[in-house]
Amino acid sequence: MSPRPRNKANKGLPQNLYLDARRGTYRYRRPTDGVWFPFGSDRAKAVDAAKQLNLEFMRGADLVHKVQGVASDLFSDFLDTYEREIIPPRELAKGTLDLYAVRFRQFRRAFEGLAVDQITIRMAAEMLDSLPARSSNQARALLIDVFNHAASKGLCPDNPAASTIAKIEKKQRKRHTVEGVRAIREKAPAWLQNAIDLALITAQRRTDILSMRFDDVRDGYLYVVQQKTSKASDAAWIRFKVTPQLQAVLSRCRDNVPSPFLIHRRPDRKRQKQAEHKEHWTKIEERYLTRAFKEAREAAGCYASWADEEQPGFHEIRALSLHLYKKAGKDGQRIAGHASEEMTKNYQRDHADVVWSDAIPDLDITEIAG
């Protein structure tokens, strides 16, 4: 018995479940022999039951395939394909790719040895429930995309991750205080002090701070292309005038370590494997900066009464910078790289001739940096 054609009323329903539009009830067609079963008028219950039945029939088919020597598509194998073919064309920022790498490792541990079509809603939910709210939601969004691509290849009947519910995120990190950052800076090594000062004056993100180079300083300006937004927004193209305040920090960045990067360090020991994946042996990785900042913050003890989840990291210096700019009556929005009408010119020119957004980083940070 052949299944009935799926019309618009059946769109979005699991395989083998059909809606009788005239009666407003659902019916399930057993895939092994085509026998129909009434499922009532409750859509949610009908969908849930159909998904469970589909999974059981697919498990049975998987056992048959094992006896016949037909291998199922492992989730880990498809994840390799996803990383190799789906991710690169998106031209994601390095920070995003690093985050994805963490999520992929979590997926592989959670679904080790499972075929794509063996992963259930419950399995996906249990993996996501084991993570903090923000991490869980990030992992959920990525997992939904992975299963969408798997379903489009016919490797699974539906998307188990899409049936999970996102967690409610409560912002827990507190903002830095001037006194707190000053105390942290006093406990920080010289390269981290420079990174803190650059973040305060330019209000840029961690990724962009660590990517700034000495040859980006020319003609009296520091040229910055924000990596997080350069593919999506022309707010990414910023030209910072080298003010006395900025020049003071740039001068401190020059030392006896030969490096093309403003923020750099001589590693305790060179590791060949790590050096092969770095632009330069003196370049500082984002995770190392985060860890070093945390160590300086703990040594300072400036937020000792705050809970661990409330402790602000290096990223929150950006918020403090914008607050101080606003308090001083200056234009922090342009400093941060928020979109302006002038930046639309880059779209009109198709980036053949970039129009840089001018910013004047003249925040007085002597209260913090001395």
Side-chain angles (χ1 to χ4, degrees):
M1 181 177 180
S2 59
R4 297 187 179 183
R6 298 184 72 84
N7 53 33
K8 291 182 178 180
N10 295 314
K11 186 176 181 182
L13 294 179
Q15 287 184 344
N16 304 312
L17 182 65
Y18 298 86
L19 172 66
D20 185 331
R22 184 169 58 85
R23 296 180 179 179
T25 57
Y26 295 88
R27 295 196 299 166
Y28 182 82
R29 175 186 174 276
R30 189 162 59 195
T32 54
D33 55 12
V35 176
W36 293 87
F37 297 85
F39 267 26
S41 59
D42 190 317
R43 178 185 173 92
K45 290 183 179 179
V47 168
D48 185 57
K51 286 183 175 180
Q52 292 185 49
L53 286 167
N54 286 342
L55 179 62
E56 292 302 319
F57 285 118
M58 289 178 70
R59 282 176 175 168
D62 187 57
L63 292 175
V64 173
H65 289 162
K66 287 181 179 179
V67 174
Q68 293 176 335
V70 179
S72 297
D73 293 274
L74 289 176
F75 177 82
S76 59
D77 291 340
F78 179 74
L79 204 56
D80 290 338
T81 303
Y82 181 87
E83 287 189 85
R84 184 176 61 253
E85 299 178 3
I86 307 301
I87 295 297
R90 296 179 177 178
E91 299 182 348
L92 301 174
K94 185 179 182 301
T96 302
L97 293 176
D98 290 343
L99 179 61
Y100 277 18
V102 173
R103 301 292 171 237
F104 289 145
R105 288 195 293 271
Q106 292 170 335
F107 296 163
R108 286 191 168 90
R109 284 197 301 268
F111 309 129
E112 182 179 5
L114 294 174
V116 178
D117 55 17
Q118 289 179 314
I119 298 172
T120 65
I121 298 172
R122 183 170 183 172
M123 291 176 183
E126 287 177 348
M127 191 278 292
L128 296 173
D129 286 344
S130 68
L131 302 174
R134 186 177 183 187
S135 297
S136 176
N137 290 340
Q138 290 174 342
R140 179 177 180 272
L142 181 57
L143 195 59
I144 287 174
D145 191 61
V146 170
F147 275 109
N148 279 340
H149 282 84
S152 72
K153 302 293 184 182
L155 302 181
C156 55
D158 47 35
N159 191 326
S163 297
T164 63
I165 298 176
K167 292 184 177 181
I168 297 176
E169 296 183 42
K170 294 182 179 179
K171 189 170 181 62
Q172 296 176 315
R173 284 187 180 178
K174 292 187 176 182
R175 297 292 178 89
H176 279 296
T177 64
V178 170
E179 295 76 18
V181 174
R182 181 170 59 240
I184 293 170
R185 189 182 181 282
E186 289 175 355
K187 296 294 184 179
W191 68 265
L192 182 53
Q193 291 182 352
N194 293 337
I196 292 172
D197 295 348
L198 268 180
L200 285 169
I201 289 182
T202 66
Q204 297 305 292
R205 302 178 181 88
R206 177 183 61 176
T207 299
D208 301 313
I209 293 292
L210 294 179
S211 297
M212 293 179 182
R213 301 169 59 101
F214 285 105
D215 56 13
D216 290 332
V217 182
R218 56 187 183 272
D219 305 324
Y221 290 92
L222 168 63
Y223 291 81
V224 175
V225 178
Q226 292 181 338
Q227 294 184 31
K228 185 172 182 178
T229 57
S230 58
K231 297 293 186 298
S233 168
D234 284 326
W237 307 81
I238 310 175
R239 187 174 70 165
F240 292 98
K241 183 176 179 60
V242 179
T243 59
Q245 294 87 346
L246 179 57
Q247 182 59 60
V249 181
L250 296 177
S251 298
R252 287 199 293 272
C253 289
R254 290 213 176 264
D255 52 26
N256 59 357
V257 179
S259 176
F261 295 97
L262 298 183
I263 306 303
H264 57 267
R265 65 182 288 271
R266 187 188 301 276
D268 299 328
R269 56 178 178 174
K270 291 184 183 179
R271 295 180 180 177
Q272 187 62 33
K273 187 175 180 180
Q274 289 182 341
E276 291 174 356
H277 296 87
K278 293 175 68 172
E279 293 181 60
H280 194 269
W281 61 274
T282 61
K283 192 176 192 304
I284 295 171
E285 299 295 322
E286 293 181 27
R287 283 180 294 180
Y288 188 88
L289 171 65
T290 298
R291 187 165 63 249
F293 185 85
K294 180 181 178 182
E295 291 174 355
R297 186 188 65 210
E298 290 177 350
C302 48
Y303 307 126
S305 62
W306 296 358
D308 289 344
E309 62 271 16
E310 296 176 329
Q311 298 285 333
F314 184 87
H315 177 76
E316 277 68 38
I317 293 179
R318 174 178 165 91
L320 176 62
S321 171
L322 295 177
H323 168 71
L324 294 177
Y325 268 108
K326 183 177 180 180
K327 186 177 178 181
K330 301 178 184 295
D331 186 3
Q333 299 302 305
R334 187 175 291 271
I335 292 287
H338 295 170
S340 68
E341 185 176 346
E342 178 189 17
M343 294 170 189
T344 60
K345 295 177 182 178
N346 282 338
Y347 286 121
Q348 298 166 0
R349 293 169 181 245
D350 195 26
H351 286 196
D353 185 14
V354 172
V355 177
W356 294 86
S357 174
D358 285 329
I360 302 178
D362 56 354
L363 183 67
D364 182 2
I365 64 170
T366 54
E367 184 180 2
I368 297 174

